[in-house]
Amino acid sequence: NAGVMQNPRHLVRRRGQEARLRCSPMKGHSHVYWYRQLPEEGLKFMVYLQKENIIDESGMPKERFSAEFPKEGPSILRIQQVVRGDSAAYFCASSPGQGQSYEQYFGPGTRLTVT
Amino acid sequence: KNQVEQSPQSLIILEGKNCTLQCNYTVSPFSNLRWYKQDTGRGPVSLTIMTFSENTKSNGRYTATLDADTKQSSLHITASQLSDSASYICVVGSLGGSYIPTFGRGTSLIVHP
């Protein structure tokens, strides 16, 4: 039973380019969370999705960032027109149910570097 | 406002020694508290989870305690090993309202030989 998978593990983009980060949840999980972690900082919540629905995007910047979790395929976090401040590790987590009583299982993260 | 505060921010100990990490929270109404271990360059991995009725939970050399009255938790590591070097994150869930638990900033532990 594979865990949460994220790809790519490392991504380098020039300022102004688009970054696409993918997350495949654990088998049987239909809930996905995205977090951002700056160097020496804690995890910051960005967005919570279920299949085909955004449940909570209160942590997502209003511009340039978007997320989706289609009926088929992985969840995608998209960052348009990247800036140096977007450089961070982006983690996704999946859970089998809705709500805080369900444990979140984290992927290995995607490290985005904007040059 | 729900908050989770962890202390110390960082800690250096010698291999074989014990240590205790602290977590204070103001999350309400309380649902559960989890401790995660995050190795450098990796995603967090769950160590323990406790609900309101539990006041201690062990996972090998890791023992977590919970005092729901004072809203405090601790993570005790016994006979530390070099592989214990990591960030330890306290995460507190609440009932109802937001689906998102509250994360502490973590304690960075370094175990020296």
Side-chain angles (χ1 to χ4, degrees), chain A residues 29 33 94-97 99-105, chain B residues 34 36 45-49:
Chain A
H29 289 191
Y33 303 77
S94 74
S95 71
Q100 300 189 36
S101 61
Y102 290 93
E103 180 168 350
Q104 296 183 25
Y105 296 82
Chain B
R34 296 186 173 94
Y36 283 88
V45 175
S46 179
L47 292 175
T48 64
I49 175 172

Side-chain angles (χ1 to χ4, degrees), chain B residues 33-65:
Chain B
L33 186 146
R34 296 186 173 94
W35 283 95
Y36 283 88
K37 177 187 179 190
Q38 184 178 20
D39 291 312
T40 300
R42 303 208 171 198
V45 175
S46 179
L47 292 175
T48 64
I49 175 172
M50 289 180 291
T51 57
F52 185 87
S53 59
E54 298 172 296
N55 56 21
T56 187
K57 184 71 72 76
S58 290
N59 178 357
R61 294 180 297 101
Y62 301 100
T63 298
T65 64

Side-chain angles (χ1 to χ4, degrees), chain B residues 81-92:
Chain B
Q81 300 176 358
L82 298 180
S83 59
D84 292 331
S85 295
S87 178
Y88 292 84
I89 304 168
C90 177
V91 183
V92 183

Side-chain angles (χ1 to χ4, degrees), chain A residues 9 33 35 37 40-43 45 48 55-56 91 98-104 106-109 111, chain B residues 31-32 34 36 38 40-44 46 49 89 92-94 96 98-105:
Chain A
R9 294 293 309 277
Y33 303 77
Y35 297 87
Q37 187 173 39
E40 309 301 322
E41 297 274 329
L43 289 159
F45 165 75
Y48 165 43
I55 305 303
D56 185 336
F91 291 94
Q98 185 177 76
Q100 300 189 36
S101 61
Y102 290 93
E103 180 168 350
Q104 296 183 25
F106 285 83
R111 273 140 197 87
Chain B
S31 172
N32 56 70
R34 296 186 173 94
Y36 283 88
Q38 184 178 20
T40 300
R42 303 208 171 198
S46 179
I49 175 172
I89 304 168
V92 183
S94 68
S98 169
Y99 298 108
I100 313 306
T102 305
F103 284 72
R105 292 187 55 157

